[in-house]
Amino acid sequence: MEDANVSHPLPSANRRLSNLAHHLTGHSPAMASESHSSALSPSPTAGSYGAAASVFAGILQAPEDPILGVTVAYNKDPSPVKVNLGVGAYRTEEGKPLVLNVVRKAEQLLVNDPVRVKEYLPITGLADFNKLSAKLIFGADSPAIRENRVATVQCLSGTGSLRVGGEFLARHYHERTIYIPQPTWGNHPKIFTLAGLAVKYYRYYDPATRGLNFNGLLEDLSSAPTGAIVLLHACAHNPTGVDPTLEQWEQIRLLMRSKELLPFFDSAYQGFASGSLDADAQSVRIFVADGGECLAAQSYAKNMGLYGERVGALSIVCKSSDVAARVESQLKLVIRPMYSNPPIHGASIVATILKNSEMYNEWTAELKMMADRIISMRKQLFGALHERGTPGDWSHIIKQIGMFTFTGLNREQVAFMTKEFHIYMTSDGRISMAGLSSKTVPHLSDAIHAAVTRIN
């Protein structure tokens, strides 16, 4: 018997519809062919559902992120003199994003590796990356590393590292209150609240001196309940640029250990603040050296310029290797339902650079170059304000450290500078020194001078 489909060939799409109709209705392919238009056409009432109000119609428009929203507003501004000082990313003297030469070299090595594959990483991430990251922040000679007391997992940059650490503590630590500095990075309270921790604040910044409120810090930590978690910025405090001295760090350590407070370091700028990887890790290392426990979240966004690769690590220093192994097993249970396992490319770049002495040295040289340019911008801005006699003491600009400066400008002055000078920054007066250049310093100093002389 001649096959109907051979004698009367149908276009492939029609044949699939015919077979589907046959499967659904039990009719022969021929009958299905004749009726498939009506059988598979939308019902007359289908359009009425599409016209109904969205089930999400009641959702309110969310406000822009206070930091990322600055860039949104900047991008909409057609002014040729606009300056974006809100973004927390390094820019060259020409105002362009920078990809480090050593990063390009590492990527080329990875691309040219014929045995490299794109298989899933383990839940904890790339083993070499984790090992090298722990050494970078704690020091290669750290007793905690030698004794296998550190559990390290690769996470999604600093934000992801903080979130994983927060959820781990909410599940397994006896105290669910975390004290964070006032002010701090705007994402910190959101991260820890959603992770399941209760957020409280300790005094940090003194608006009168535009420096550290050290006495207030000590008083608030002294009043914290025994065992509370304390978030500490390892260096280059965001947003203020104000760091404790080493002597002050030692006092903080003694107080926290006496009250059994658990340190949770956020290290987003190692090497990017002073230009020295070791100097910028000293605050963390003095807490590890005493044999106590702590957590550290690392980010490679700034110091390797890997913003979009989302490369970070969470390390938990424990009392023993046995505890560290069990901690790692529980970190896996936090990560698995969250994002399963981290991406491979960025971590491979970092590992390639950190394990090659020549590339490591090239990285540290480029890192120091970035840090030195930021320090230069501080000096130039301070000099410009001093030269034109802008009211106030602006020495905090050169005393603060890292990517950001807390200018002391108020919300009204910031709004004035944006409207009249097209300068964009967060409403609290924080500016990114990395967004400045020798060409834009005069424009910024003009704007600051106008703002403080016209608006109190």
Side-chain angles (χ1 to χ4, degrees):
M1 181 177 176
E2 189 176 43
D3 185 275
N5 289 332
V6 174
S7 300
H8 308 285
L10 293 168
S12 60
N14 284 349
R15 184 179 300 115
R16 287 196 296 271
L17 286 172
S18 175
N19 291 337
L20 176 60
H22 173 57
H23 173 72
L24 293 174
T25 66
H27 295 152
S28 67
M31 292 174 64
S33 176
E34 294 173 2
S35 61
H36 77 267
S37 295
S38 61
L40 299 179
S41 294
S43 68
T45 58
S48 63
Y49 180 81
S54 168
V55 293
F56 305 114
I59 290 179
L60 300 177
Q61 178 69 35
E64 291 283 359
D65 180 272
I67 297 175
L68 301 181
V70 172
T71 299
V72 173
Y74 168 84
N75 289 336
K76 292 179 180 177
D77 188 344
S79 173
V81 298
K82 64 182 181 179
V83 180
N84 187 0
L85 301 179
V87 63
Y90 183 82
R91 294 292 181 261
T92 66
E93 179 67 18
E94 295 71 38
K96 303 294 183 183
L98 177 68
V99 178
L100 301 185
N101 289 327
V102 72
V103 167
R104 292 194 186 279
K105 288 181 182 179
E107 284 191 302
Q108 201 59 54
L109 286 174
L110 294 169
V111 169
N112 293 337
D113 184 352
V115 300
R116 181 172 164 75
V117 295
K118 300 290 188 180
E119 291 292 296
Y120 292 121
L121 286 177
I123 296 173
T124 54
L126 189 67
D128 276 353
F129 168 84
N130 291 337
K131 180 180 178 182
L132 293 162
S133 292
K135 286 185 176 181
L136 187 71
I137 192 165
F138 301 131
D141 58 347
S142 171
I145 292 176
R146 286 200 313 267
E147 296 161 11
N148 295 316
R149 294 190 285 111
V150 182
T152 303
V153 292
Q154 179 191 336
C155 299
L156 307 183
S157 203
T159 303
S161 302
L162 293 165
R163 179 61 183 266
V164 169
E167 293 212 12
F168 168 81
L169 292 172
R171 293 186 192 183
H172 300 287
Y173 188 58
H174 64 85
E175 176 59 61
R176 293 191 177 184
T177 301
I178 184 166
Y179 283 75
I180 64 178
Q182 180 66 270
T184 192
W185 179 44
N187 220 15
H188 278 146
K190 302 170 191 174
I191 290 169
F192 292 118
T193 298
L194 290 173
L197 299 175
V199 172
K200 292 188 177 180
Y201 293 86
Y202 61 89
R203 282 171 284 175
Y204 189 87
Y205 179 72
D206 184 353
T209 64
R210 294 176 183 174
L212 182 66
N213 184 352
F214 189 55
N215 289 334
L217 180 154
L218 293 179
E219 286 176 9
D220 290 348
L221 293 187
S222 295
S223 301
T226 300
I229 309 156
V230 179
L231 179 75
L232 301 164
H233 294 229
C235 66
H237 181 274
N238 177 7
T240 68
V242 174
D243 284 356
T245 65
L246 278 179
E247 292 76 18
Q248 289 172 330
W249 273 120
E250 177 60 16
Q251 291 183 61
I252 294 169
R253 184 191 69 81
L254 290 171
L255 170 61
M256 290 184 61
R257 292 310 193 196
S258 70
K259 288 189 61 71
E260 298 179 0
L261 302 176
L262 181 64
F264 193 159
F265 284 96
D266 184 357
S267 178
Y269 303 97
Q270 186 182 355
F272 203 84
S274 68
S276 166
L277 289 159
D278 290 328
D280 290 350
Q282 281 305 304
S283 61
V284 181
R285 293 178 185 178
I286 64 172
F287 275 84
V288 177
D290 67 11
E293 295 177 305
C294 66
L295 292 83
Q298 290 170 267
S299 168
Y300 290 94
K302 271 70 174 184
N303 59 19
M304 280 199 188
L306 296 174
Y307 305 96
E309 297 290 356
R310 314 309 295 143
V311 195
L314 171 70
S315 291
I316 302 181
V317 178
C318 306
K319 282 286 190 179
S320 68
S321 59
D322 176 60
V323 172
R326 283 182 277 134
V327 164
E328 181 182 298
S329 74
Q330 291 295 335
L331 287 171
K332 291 180 184 179
L333 297 187
V334 174
I335 292 169
R336 176 61 173 157
M338 189 185 294
Y339 55 85
S340 190
N341 51 80
I344 193 171
H345 186 67
S348 298
I349 293 172
V350 174
T352 299
I353 293 169
L354 294 184
K355 67 185 177 184
N356 181 299
S357 59
E358 184 177 330
M359 296 181 80
Y360 178 87
N361 291 334
E362 184 175 352
W363 172 49
T364 56
E366 289 192 83
L367 183 54
K368 189 173 189 308
M369 176 272 296
M370 291 192 289
D372 286 349
R373 196 186 86 75
I374 290 175
I375 293 170
S376 172
M377 289 302 101
R378 290 183 177 280
K379 292 177 180 177
Q380 288 185 41
L381 179 59
F382 171 73
L385 292 169
H386 181 72
E387 185 176 331
R388 65 178 302 139
T390 302
D393 178 6
W394 297 95
S395 61
H396 60 281
I397 292 175
I398 50 177
K399 291 176 182 176
Q400 294 170 6
I401 192 171
M403 177 176 283
F404 300 109
T405 284
F406 223 40
T407 59
L409 297 166
N410 61 40
R411 185 179 294 268
E412 291 74 21
Q413 291 167 336
V414 169
F416 169 82
M417 291 169 59
T418 300
K419 180 181 178 183
E420 301 295 332
F421 290 85
H422 305 275
I423 292 174
Y424 291 82
M425 66 184 83
T426 52
S427 61
D428 59 6
R430 185 198 80 167
I431 62 173
S432 171
M433 300 306 299
L436 272 178
S437 70
S438 299
K439 294 178 182 178
T440 57
V441 163
H443 183 54
L444 176 61
S445 62
D446 286 345
I448 293 176
H449 185 86
V452 300
T453 53
R454 297 186 201 177
I455 301 173
N456 293 325

